[in-house]
Amino acid sequence: MYEIITDTGFDHEIDRDIQLLCCLEGKQTEHYENMLLSDLQQEIKKIAFLHGAEIPSVKPSRYFTVTGRTYKVLYDFRDLVAGQFIDAMACAKEPAEFITNMHRMLAAICRGTKRTWRGRTVLDYGAIPFEQVSEAMKQLPIVQAHATALFFCQLWAAFLKGIPDYLTQNRQTMAKEEHLMWTQALAVAGGG
């Protein structure tokens, strides 16, 4: 969607809007081109948030089901393994690329699940290849993806503010390897 929004090759804004609707709704161009103009204008209202209007508000999800698989979103940093933390930081490092990397950010903070006789179990990070999860996250509705990524980034900002004090206070009781991992991770993220 971001590529469509930034593309300067459209002759008319309505062409861009139809392409955005196709992307958002998963319908063919012909579906919108065969509509009455009044009906098309109603459909275009669905994408007003992409043109700077307020983004529809939804609560961030704990679970996503995309491409037939259920993923659990891990918002608590204590639940992330080092690989997830590093992948999330790599996606969030360049603010200019955040939108184009949102699917990768979501892949970094989500883990696949499987149903067992006890309920849903979270798989190990990497049990489903990162690129496969990343591609699956492209199928997530943008409003839901945005709400989750925004919520995670707000937690991230609060985390980065508090972690240096935490590391200083707990330096004596924290394992040397754990302290080194956190300080290196913060250095990469620009937080200290």
Side-chain angles (χ1 to χ4, degrees), residues 62-72 111-115 120-121 123 128 137:
R62 296 298 272 161
Y63 290 91
F64 296 136
T65 301
V66 288
T67 62
R69 182 176 293 277
T70 301
Y71 297 90
K72 181 173 184 181
R111 281 204 235 155
T113 64
K114 72 176 183 177
R115 189 172 289 285
R120 196 156 286 286
T121 311
L123 300 173
I128 305 168
M137 291 300 153

Side-chain angles (χ1 to χ4, degrees), residues 58-99:
V58 298
K59 290 184 179 180
S61 300
R62 296 298 272 161
Y63 290 91
F64 296 136
T65 301
V66 288
T67 62
R69 182 176 293 277
T70 301
Y71 297 90
K72 181 173 184 181
V73 184
L74 302 175
Y75 293 109
D76 190 337
F77 291 95
R78 293 171 292 191
D79 294 336
L80 299 177
V81 296
Q84 280 180 282
F85 188 77
I86 291 165
D87 288 342
M89 283 189 308
C91 295
K93 192 169 184 173
E94 295 296 328
E97 296 176 4
F98 181 74
I99 292 173

Side-chain angles (χ1 to χ4, degrees), residues 21 24-25 27 41-49 56:
L21 282 167
L24 187 66
E25 299 286 325
K27 296 178 180 170
Q41 288 171 333
Q42 290 300 315
E43 289 292 309
I44 289 174
K45 288 181 180 179
K46 292 180 181 178
I47 60 169
F49 71 94

Side-chain angles (χ1 to χ4, degrees), residues 113-162:
T113 64
K114 72 176 183 177
R115 189 172 289 285
T116 66
W117 63 275
R118 290 191 222 180
R120 196 156 286 286
T121 311
V122 178
L123 300 173
D124 289 339
Y125 188 63
I128 305 168
F130 180 81
E131 291 304 323
Q132 183 179 340
V133 177
S134 176
E135 285 300 310
M137 291 300 153
K138 289 181 179 179
Q139 302 303 314
L140 192 64
I142 187 66
V143 173
Q144 194 175 14
H146 181 266
T148 301
L150 184 62
F151 186 74
F152 180 80
C153 288
Q154 288 170 342
L155 289 175
W156 177 261
F159 171 77
L160 285 178
K161 287 180 185 173

